[in-house]
Structure formats: C-alpha cells, structure tokens
Amino acid sequence: MSVELYDTLSRSVQKLAPASGDTLRFYCCGPTVYGPAHIGNFRTFLIQDTLRRVLEVDGTPVKHVRNITDLDDKTIRCSQEEGKSLVEFTAHWTEKFHADCEALNMLPPSIEPSAVAHIPHQIALVEKLIEKGHAYATEDGSVYFRVGSFEDYGRLSRLKQRELKTQTENSAGELNDADEYDRESVTDFALWKSRKPEDGENYWTSPWGEGRPGWHLECSAMVDSAFDGETIDLHGGGIDLCFPHHENEIAQSECAHGHDFCTHWFHSAHLMVEGAKMSKSLGNLYTLDDLREKGFSPMIVRYTLIAGSYRQQLNFTFDGLHASQSALTRLERFAEALLAKTDETTDDFNAQYVTVDAPEDFGRLAKAWDALRNNLNTAACLGAIFGVIGSNPAASLDAEGARALLRAFGSLLYALGLELFTVEVQKIDAPEAIIALAQARWDAKQAKDWGQADELRDTLLAQGWLVKDSKDGFELTPKT
C-alpha cells in the first residue's frame, strides 16, 4: 500500500507519487506575516507537516516549499500603522512564525521563498501573459488577467463561467479582500497593481509604471522559481484558498507555460472554536502563546489540531485540549512500560526509536500505519494505537518483542510529529484574594458546611477560577 490522498481536482482519493524522478514536489501556501499565526492557520500547516512526515516515513523524499507572503494590503497597512519599514515589520513576524513552528515540532521546508524577493520573477510572468494575450494593461498602469481567455477556468472549484460573477467571495463563502481597479470584466483579477498613495514607499518599477504585484501572482512566480517551471505533484492550502487563489494560480501558470500546473490538490477544512466561527469579534483567534498562557504545551496543541479528519471541520475546545493532554500521558505510559522491558530510558526512546526510519513490519501497529497512508486518517491511526495500548502488550513481551513494538510506535510518533516526555503544564499563580476564598471554601468543607462551600465555589467560578479538591488540599486553575 502506498500513500493515498483525496484530490480536490478529481474529487477522489488518488495515489501520491512523483510524476518524474524520486522526489515529490510539494508546494504550500504559507503565512501572511502581519501578526502571529492563529490556531486556524496552524491546523492547515500541521496537517501539511504530518503528510510530509508520512510520505518520508513511507520512503518518498519530499521537496517541500512553503512561501512567506510579506507583501499584500495587510502587511503594508500594518507596517505603516507601526511606523516601520515593510522589511523590518515582516521580518519580525516571520521570526515569530518560525519560533511557533519549531515549538510545534514542524519540519522546516526545503525552501521558503518570499514574495518581495521574487518581484523580478513576477514581472517576467506578467510580461509573458501579456505577450500571449492572456493579460492586459489599463490606463492607470495596472495589469489584469483576462479570465475569458482560459477555457478551463473554474475546474478546480467546479465553478462554471456562467456562474462566475465576481471574485469578491472565496470558496469558504467569505469576503475576498481585493483592491478595486479598472478592468474589462468583473471576473478579471489583478496581476499588477498601479501605485496608490496608501502604498507609501512600497512600490517597484515595471514596464507598466510603478506599482506592486497582485497577491495571486506571487505564488505562481515562487512555484516557478522553486521548481524550475515544472509541473508540481502536490499543492496544499486551506479550503478558503481553493477559489479564487488556487483557481487563479492555475490560470496564470498554465497560460504562461502551456502545461499542467499541478497534478494533485490538497485542501484542509476550517477550524471552529467551541462551536463558533473564529473571529476577532468573538475573541477566539487563539495563538500558540495564548494557549501556553492557559497552561497548554505546544505538543498538546499539535495533538488537538491533527487528531481529526483534515477534510472535516474541527471543533477546537478546551475540553478537547484536556483530553489531548490525557491522551499524550497514556502514550507516555505505554512507552515507559515497553522501555522497562528493554531496560532503556525515555531519552533512549526519543533518540533511537522516534525516527523517520520505519520498520518493514509494523506488527501490532500495522492498522495504525495503514490508516495514515489511507488519506491521512489520523483519527483512525490514533484509535488503532490506543486499541493496542488497551490490550497491554508489554505484559507478554520479552525485550526483543518490546524493541520491535517500540520501533513501530516511534515511527508512528515521528509521522504524527508527536514528541513524548516534553509536556509540561504551566502553573499559574492565583491572586491572594482567590487563594483566601479557596481556603475559606476548604475550611467550610472540613466543617461540613456544604452550603457555604458551594457558595464559595460559585464565587470562585464567577471570578474565573476552578477549584479541584484532593485528599490533602485543593488546587486552583484558571477557567478556560
């Protein structure tokens, strides 16, 4: 069995393999660096990272390219609001993104191109499209792609020409923020935007005048540069990028080069938070730092974000985070039981067993490995692992058998990107007034004044604190 994955273009599960050579060419739309990435962003990036790991454990080398969008309306506007140059502003947020990726145990991409570094590539691509009749310049110095010149426009998102009215809404049904410029048709999209006062000093010289590239153009140019203009094997992104962004990438690239842009398309579904859509107004655009402050380690966050089907909306909850913490603890106890049989330490486990080098036979964990290769079914994989854990195999294994199971288990952890024996719940000190209330409640309980104890518990809860009793005292944790 080889790795198979659902393809948005064909609407079917297809085998993933390089079209030529041994290395799979994988491009991912990366972050727009105008602030910290939130958990919705990271769900997509973590799913992509997990797929890459599965491919590499399966023996397929991957050339993984993930771009940095450091030039668009948001980066320009936010940099100006902070009084910083675009380069300084985006460098800061790029560094923050890298730090979060490392904390989440994400493999660095093979190449990480940026939009600003590829301005000449983008200008050359626009010139080629104009030359071939697929683009046109307007009086103000902007350049548009002529959608009507590309017969196959809309095939990825199943959007027929007669249904295409404008590009103001994306494939997730959300507003597609785009500048308005003169164009022949409302369906045409900007390749080059003429300089506007709000751009400040963020403009470049082109054959059509001063300006900057359109957002859709950037990825096509960076794909060309990273993969030498060849057809790529796999392109990934969130489902909101299917239209118009990926549809426009296909049109630009195929009209410029005359061959298929990409063989296989990979889209991840959106994230919900406590049953609600993520939004600034709801205050639920959580970042990794937000969750760390609430006591959840990056590994708990990673487990939570990859545990469900990538094609289904994931409802991110704090109960789910606590469940992930418990699940990671169970995985650790399983490893410790096997290590006791081999007389090895947890350090030995991380160094020797959690590697990309997979065993030929996954033995009892074969179902878990097959699940990952079958459309990246992480939920079924984890279910199979816990099924094996529940059978308590360590009780009947000798040292050799335990080592074999550790090798399979370690390879699965590597594929999932999970690191054990690193989870630490951060303790948050409660204010003295809260501690005093909790102590008063404890005293009331000892005096069997249940009514007073319940009233104080409700007071603590109203002030954002949970109290958990033990035999010898109590523990306070912030309500999440």
Side-chain angles (χ1 to χ4, degrees), residues 441 449-461:
R441 175 184 173 275
D449 186 349
W450 310 119
Q452 177 70 2
D454 289 346
E455 184 179 333
L456 289 167
R457 179 200 60 204
D458 292 343
T459 301
L460 286 164
L461 189 61

Side-chain angles (χ1 to χ4, degrees), residues 37-46 97 100-101 104 106 305:
H38 56 65
I39 54 174
N41 304 135
F42 273 117
R43 190 206 183 189
T44 295
F45 298 141
L46 284 166
F97 176 70
D100 285 350
C101 288
L104 289 164
M106 290 172 58
L305 292 177

